[in-house]
Amino acid sequence: MQPNPTRDMFVGATTLLALAGLVAFSYAGNKLSTEASVGTYPVVATFNRVDGLFEGDAVRLGGIRVGTVGAQVLDADFRAVVTLNLDSASQVPVDSAAAIHTDGLFGSKFVVLEPGIEEAVLKAGDRLQYTQGAVVVSELLDLIIDEGRARIGAANKTQKGNN
């Protein structure tokens, strides 16, 4: 079988075009799904940090998606002010809390709403008073490692003192 450079270039170009089309389709589909949230109302939550949270990420209540993350800006105190676009069908109490969670150890971030007990519900433009920012996994691991080293050091000092 003789090598055919023209055919090889055609197959390679076709493969690249197909791959580029799949990437574009995937991106456009994600963008459409976040923009297609007709019947939403915005509420605002302020977090100390939102590392890894992006526009279009899920907002969940009881494990069910009830909205998406909207715009993110910094306030005068350099805290992240995040707009949450909640589905109009979701009735979230005004004293609810918002926390940023991670899907798995290194997965994507999403906002979890913990419902409060008030009868009144959030309306467009309301602000969530109770928030918990994102936990950075590497900082958490560093804290655990440092704590372990401190305990090992204290145990070694105790052993040397007994000898």
Side-chain angles (χ1 to χ4, degrees):
M1 202 166 166
Q2 296 283 343
N4 187 346
T6 305
R7 185 187 67 163
D8 292 345
M9 287 186 357
F10 177 73
V11 169
T14 304
T15 303
L16 285 176
L17 284 174
L19 183 62
L22 284 173
V23 168
F25 181 72
S26 173
Y27 177 75
N30 187 26
K31 187 105 171 131
L32 284 175
S33 69
T34 56
E35 292 174 354
S37 300
V38 192
T40 62
Y41 62 97
V43 297
V44 177
T46 303
F47 298 96
N48 288 331
R49 59 186 320 157
V50 293
D51 298 305
L53 186 69
F54 297 105
E55 189 173 331
D57 285 344
V59 176
R60 298 180 186 168
L61 177 66
I64 297 172
R65 186 179 182 127
V66 295
T68 58
V69 173
Q72 301 177 36
V73 296
L74 288 176
D75 67 6
D77 297 322
F78 302 105
R79 294 182 308 160
V81 179
V82 179
T83 301
L84 306 175
N85 298 313
L86 302 179
D87 296 337
S88 56
S90 60
Q91 301 293 308
V92 181
V94 293
D95 62 338
S96 297
I100 299 174
H101 287 213
T102 304
D103 195 15
L105 189 57
F106 295 106
S108 61
K109 305 257 190 230
F110 58 93
V111 177
V112 173
L113 296 177
E114 294 293 335
I117 58 172
E118 292 289 329
E119 292 290 325
V121 295
L122 291 170
K123 294 179 179 43
D126 284 351
R127 180 175 296 272
L128 289 163
Q129 297 299 318
Y130 310 106
T131 60
Q132 177 184 350
V135 175
V136 180
V137 175
S138 63
E139 290 178 5
L140 186 60
L141 290 174
D142 287 343
L143 179 67
I144 292 169
I145 290 169
D146 289 343
E147 188 69 28
R149 286 182 181 155
R151 288 186 182 188
I152 289 171
N156 287 341
K157 285 181 181 179
T158 303
Q159 276 184 343
K160 288 180 183 178
N162 290 340
N163 290 333

